[in-house]
């Protein structure tokens, strides 16, 4: 049987030199690991990052003023391009003036139209405004633009202010045409008071209230089947205090009644208070009306 020859330094798996060799190897591995751990990691440069890595969105959402201007410019450009709302209101006002003329022509010269001219004028303004307010959301609903606006990150109060402002501008533009025509047809030979030009103030204050309240109510009625009738049913009772105050103030300066300025300023103050309260309420409720 052959004997295994061993070197003097070789003591096998349990010998001291072999154990010392294993300990040295483990020490080297632990030392290299400690050096790697103590070395700070180099931040990845732009070239090391993958090209398809998602980038942080640094774009800022537009401000409320920018959203308001964009929505108002959209309504104005659309109306200037189609002229649908302005044309329909102007034609309707002309037809109402024709009906007034035909009805008052049967009375003759015995009736003084100036005594109830303020009522006729505001009836003309209200019915013309109802026609225009019914058409204010027609383009948005027919083309699906309203759904796109609702999906956009736009504050509902901004939508209300932009739509109310555009309706106000269109109503004032029609009044600039219809009020002189009314004076030309019915008050050209009448004796008016010296304070008659003050009637412009209740006209502006009343139109502001009609545009603000009408914008909210037209939004509520836009989804109904009979939206034309529904808007009139909602608008007339709600706007009655405003119409009463404006008719009173307008008639006071046209006819020149006793305590004319007291009646005038009281009507203007009542109309202005109505505007503040109702437009603030419409602003707060518009989000619920639009989402519904």
């Amino acid at each position: 049987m052959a004997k295994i020859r061993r070197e003097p330094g070789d003591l096998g798996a349990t010998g001291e030199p072999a154990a010392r060799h294993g300990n040295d190897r483990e020490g080297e591995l632990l030392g290299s690991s400690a050096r790697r751990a103590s070395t700070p990691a180099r931040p990845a440069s732009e070239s090391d990052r993958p090209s398809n890595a998602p980038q942080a969105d640094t774009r800022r959402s537009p401000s409320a003023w920018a959203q308001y201007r964009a929505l108002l410019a959209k309504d104005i450009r659309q109306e200037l391009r189609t002229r649908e709302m302005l044309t329909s209101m102007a034609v309707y006002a002309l037809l109402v003036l024709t009906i007034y003329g035909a009805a008052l022509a049967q009375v003759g010269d015995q009736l003084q139209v100036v005594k109830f001219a303020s009522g006729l004028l505001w009836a003309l303004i209200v019915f013309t405004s109802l026609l225009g307010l019914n058409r204010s959301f027609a383009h948005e609903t027919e083309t699906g633009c309203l759904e796109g606006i609702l999906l956009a990150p736009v504050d509902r109060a901004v939508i209300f202010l932009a739509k109310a402002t555009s309706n106000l501008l269109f109503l004032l533009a029609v009044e600039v045409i219809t009020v002189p025509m009314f004076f030309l047809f019915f008050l050209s030979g009448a004796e008016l008071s010296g304070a008659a030009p003050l009637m412009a103030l209740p006209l502006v204050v009343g139109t502001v209230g009609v545009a603000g309240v009408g914008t909210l109510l037209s939004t509520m009625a836009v989804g109904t089947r009979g939206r034309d009738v529904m808007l009139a049913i909602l608008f007339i009772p709600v706007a009655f205090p405003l119409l009463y105050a404006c008719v009173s103030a307008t008639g006071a300066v046209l006819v020149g009644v006793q305590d004319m300025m007291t009646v005038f300023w009281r009507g203007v103050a009542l109309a202005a208070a109505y505007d503040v309260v109702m437009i603030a309420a419409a602003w707060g409720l518009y989000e619920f009306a639009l989402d519904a």
Side-chain angles (χ1 to χ4, degrees), residues 206 218 228:
S218 63
D228 297 338

Side-chain angles (χ1 to χ4, degrees), residues 22-121:
N23 292 335
D24 295 341
R25 181 62 178 171
E26 292 178 359
E28 292 177 0
L29 294 175
L30 292 175
S32 61
S33 300
R35 286 192 299 272
R36 286 196 302 268
S38 62
T39 303
R42 183 176 60 89
S45 61
E46 295 293 335
S47 60
D48 296 337
R49 296 177 183 175
S51 58
N52 57 352
Q55 301 292 332
D57 190 4
T58 59
R59 294 176 299 177
R60 297 177 58 186
S61 59
S63 62
W65 173 246
Q67 295 174 359
Y68 169 79
R69 289 187 302 170
L71 292 173
L72 180 59
K74 174 190 72 68
D75 290 340
I76 294 176
R77 285 196 304 267
Q78 172 193 330
E79 184 59 34
L80 292 178
R81 184 173 62 252
T82 61
R83 294 182 177 87
E84 181 179 1
M85 186 174 175
L86 291 174
T87 303
S88 60
M89 286 194 296
V91 172
Y92 183 80
L94 182 60
L95 293 176
V96 173
L97 289 175
T98 304
I99 295 174
Y100 282 175
L104 296 176
Q106 304 299 324
V107 181
D109 298 335
Q110 299 178 357
L111 185 64
Q112 296 181 0
V113 181
V114 67
K115 292 185 177 181
F116 56 91
S118 60
L120 293 178
L121 178 60

Side-chain angles (χ1 to χ4, degrees), residues 271-291:
Y274 178 92
D275 290 352
V276 173
V277 174
M278 295 304 295
I279 291 177
W283 186 19
L285 296 174
Y286 196 74
E287 180 177 0
F288 303 99
L290 192 60
D291 292 340

Side-chain angles (χ1 to χ4, degrees), residues 41-250:
R42 183 176 60 89
S45 61
E46 295 293 335
S47 60
D48 296 337
R49 296 177 183 175
S51 58
N52 57 352
Q55 301 292 332
D57 190 4
T58 59
R59 294 176 299 177
R60 297 177 58 186
S61 59
S63 62
W65 173 246
Q67 295 174 359
Y68 169 79
R69 289 187 302 170
L71 292 173
L72 180 59
K74 174 190 72 68
D75 290 340
I76 294 176
R77 285 196 304 267
Q78 172 193 330
E79 184 59 34
L80 292 178
R81 184 173 62 252
T82 61
R83 294 182 177 87
E84 181 179 1
M85 186 174 175
L86 291 174
T87 303
S88 60
M89 286 194 296
V91 172
Y92 183 80
L94 182 60
L95 293 176
V96 173
L97 289 175
T98 304
I99 295 174
Y100 282 175
L104 296 176
Q106 304 299 324
V107 181
D109 298 335
Q110 299 178 357
L111 185 64
Q112 296 181 0
V113 181
V114 67
K115 292 185 177 181
F116 56 91
S118 60
L120 293 178
L121 178 60
W122 274 102
L124 171 64
I125 293 174
V126 168
F127 290 118
T128 304
S129 302
L130 287 176
L131 179 64
L133 292 171
N134 271 322
R135 301 299 303 169
S136 61
F137 274 102
H139 178 75
E140 283 82 355
T141 54
E142 292 172 359
T143 61
C145 180
L146 183 59
E147 286 77 6
I149 294 176
L150 294 178
L151 292 175
V154 181
D155 190 3
R156 302 299 187 258
V158 176
I159 299 176
F160 167 75
L161 291 178
K163 182 60 70 173
T165 303
S166 63
N167 290 334
L168 175 63
L169 294 177
F170 300 149
L171 293 178
L172 290 176
V174 174
E175 289 178 9
V176 169
I177 301 173
T178 56
V179 172
M181 293 176 61
F182 180 84
F183 272 82
L184 179 64
F185 289 170
F186 305 108
L187 299 177
S188 57
E191 295 181 1
L192 302 177
S193 66
L198 290 177
M199 65 172 293
L201 183 58
L203 284 176
V204 174
V205 175
T207 306
V208 171
V210 169
V213 176
T215 300
L216 174 65
L217 298 180
S218 63
T219 305
M220 296 171 60
V222 71
T224 59
R225 298 180 61 181
R227 62 183 182 183
D228 297 338
V229 179
M230 183 59 65
L231 178 59
I233 294 174
L234 295 174
F235 181 81
I236 299 298
V238 174
F240 178 78
L242 175 66
L243 300 179
Y244 179 83
C246 292
V247 170
S248 175
T250 305

